[in-house]
Amino acid sequence: MTLKIGVIGTGAIGQDHTRRINQVLAGAKVTALNDVNRANAEACRRDHAPEARIFDDPHALIKDADVDAVLVCSWGQTHEEYVLAAIAAGKPCFCEKPLATTAEGARRIVEAEQAAGKRLVQVGFMRRYDPGYVALKKAVAAVTGAPLMVHAAHRNPRVGENYQTPMAIHDTLIHEIDVLRWLLDDDYVSARVFFPRKSPRAHEKLRDPQVVVLETAKGVVIYVEIFVNCHYGYDIQCEIVGEDGTAKLPEPMSIQTRSGAVLGQPILMDWKDRFIDSYDYELADFLKAAAEGTAAGPSAWDGYVAAVTADACVAAQESEGQSVRIELPPRPALYA
């Protein structure tokens, strides 16, 4: 049986997921497309899904009998509405991050899924599927002993003029918020933010770089450097310091060269190149679970926890150096 997929939002990531489902992965086919700009949907159909129908109404797409599962890749402000509609229709839903633009919105999704009585939502935190992070998690379990500290960095070569200081949390750090919690099997209890000397490449509405310090319930202290105008490349670093040793995220595979008295290797410039395999793995995981009428991978609860943590980090930005508490309700049994 071929799983029939409806894609809401056919911008860059929506088109890439459509291509991935129809041309790379097995067991599924995109049968329906929607975008607020119909021309985007038509381009997606032309290039990647010639047999798909285009819907002007995303809710009609979700309810359609020829759609078994839904991908929400639209503007972030719409995610809550469409995910709730998919849950109401009883259809598995893959939602690109953020799950919702507020913690309250993410909580409403968690409550709706609990009422449905089963997992239906997977959130697009793809780093959990990156082979490097998977290997790092295994090393933490087998080599380092109990984690004590984490040193991490998220560096982008540049960002646009519309990128402002809080986006360093909601758009950038959000990946570390999720993957570090997964790596450590732990929850956050506090956040602090510090701003070093400002980079001359940062525009006036952006304080860059910044350092976020998170503390977990088990007492692990995490230091994450966010530097979105580092200029030299797209660079993701992570080192776990444990009781018995350390483990470090491997560098992406690249060719080392010796030429002109220089030993060197290239650094990636684009995040899509760094994590391209993980997008394949995360969607394959979703399709496998959706074929059984459920969802796997990062859950709505994980999306909610990320939203609560991000809100605390933004509050910490506004009171530099001061600790902001992160308080979560008990984890629901559905997500145990």
Side-chain angles (χ1 to χ4, degrees):
M1 172 183 165
T2 299
L3 191 70
K4 294 171 286 189
I5 306 295
V7 178
I8 300 174
T10 54
I13 193 66
Q15 290 206 30
D16 199 39
H17 284 332
T18 301
R19 174 198 61 80
R20 186 171 285 111
I21 291 169
N22 280 4
Q23 300 175 20
V24 178
L25 304 176
K29 180 180 180 180
V30 174
T31 59
L33 299 167
N34 164 267
D35 195 279
V36 66
N37 181 351
R38 187 181 174 91
N40 283 346
E42 291 173 347
C44 185
R45 179 171 63 180
R46 181 192 67 234
D47 295 339
H48 306 299
E51 299 177 20
R53 289 183 295 154
I54 295 177
F55 287 74
D56 292 323
D57 179 2
H59 289 278
L61 179 151
I62 292 168
K63 294 175 183 177
D64 192 84
D66 203 37
V67 171
D68 300 318
V70 179
L71 264 62
V72 176
C73 307
S74 50
W75 182 44
Q77 296 282 354
T78 67
H79 287 189
E80 178 188 352
E81 176 186 348
Y82 300 151
V83 172
L84 287 173
I87 294 171
K91 297 183 179 182
C93 178
F94 176 92
C95 181
E96 276 298 341
K97 60 93 179 169
L99 177 61
T101 53
T102 65
E104 291 77 12
R107 178 182 52 78
R108 285 190 286 269
I109 291 172
V110 166
E111 290 172 349
E113 196 175 36
Q114 285 181 272
K118 65 176 180 178
R119 284 277 314 272
L120 287 169
V121 179
Q122 178 177 328
V123 184
F125 288 127
M126 80 292 183
R127 287 199 191 177
R128 296 190 186 197
Y129 295 92
D130 174 66
Y133 277 107
V134 171
L136 182 57
K137 187 172 178 67
K138 291 177 179 177
V140 171
V143 178
T144 68
L148 305 173
M149 294 178 288
V150 179
H151 305 285
H154 189 146
R155 302 180 186 130
N156 288 15
R158 64 189 62 83
V159 292
E161 289 293 318
N162 65 329
Y163 188 105
Q164 299 183 17
T165 301
M167 295 174 70
I169 305 299
H170 288 301
D171 288 52
T172 302
L173 181 72
I174 196 72
H175 289 289
E176 275 76 18
I177 287 173
D178 179 73
V179 79
L180 295 179
R181 178 173 162 268
W182 171 76
L183 276 172
L184 300 173
D185 190 23
D186 204 350
D187 277 319
Y188 306 116
V189 296
S190 71
R192 287 178 288 162
V193 175
F194 298 90
F195 294 99
R197 183 170 64 89
K198 183 174 177 176
S199 165
R201 293 189 177 91
H203 59 76
E204 64 178 32
K205 294 182 180 179
L206 173 62
R207 300 182 71 179
D208 183 52
Q210 55 189 276
V211 176
V212 177
V213 181
L214 295 164
E215 184 179 359
T216 76
K218 296 177 183 177
V220 180
V221 177
I222 300 167
Y223 305 86
V224 186
E225 169 206 321
I226 309 165
F227 188 10
V228 295
N229 288 282
C230 78
H231 189 64
Y232 71 83
Y234 181 72
D235 192 6
I236 302 299
Q237 300 289 329
C238 183
E239 182 182 27
I240 310 291
V241 179
E243 293 177 346
D244 301 321
T246 69
K248 192 171 185 179
L249 185 70
E251 297 287 346
M253 187 177 71
S254 61
I255 299 299
Q256 188 179 83
T257 59
R258 297 169 187 263
S259 178
V262 174
L263 174 65
Q265 61 189 75
I267 295 174
L268 296 173
M269 294 295 289
D270 193 321
W271 58 269
K272 293 188 293 294
D273 295 331
R274 172 63 179 83
F275 290 108
I276 189 168
D277 291 338
S278 62
Y279 287 102
D280 291 348
Y281 300 146
E282 72 167 353
L283 269 191
D285 198 27
F286 172 72
L287 297 179
K288 180 180 178 182
E292 299 176 359
T294 185
S299 68
W301 176 254
D302 295 319
Y304 169 69
V305 172
V308 171
T309 304
D311 285 351
C313 291
V314 170
Q317 285 180 328
E318 296 167 359
S319 54
E320 181 178 358
Q322 300 300 307
S323 179
V324 174
R325 295 292 299 171
I326 300 171
E327 297 182 354
L328 296 167
R331 184 196 304 251
L334 181 63
Y335 309 103

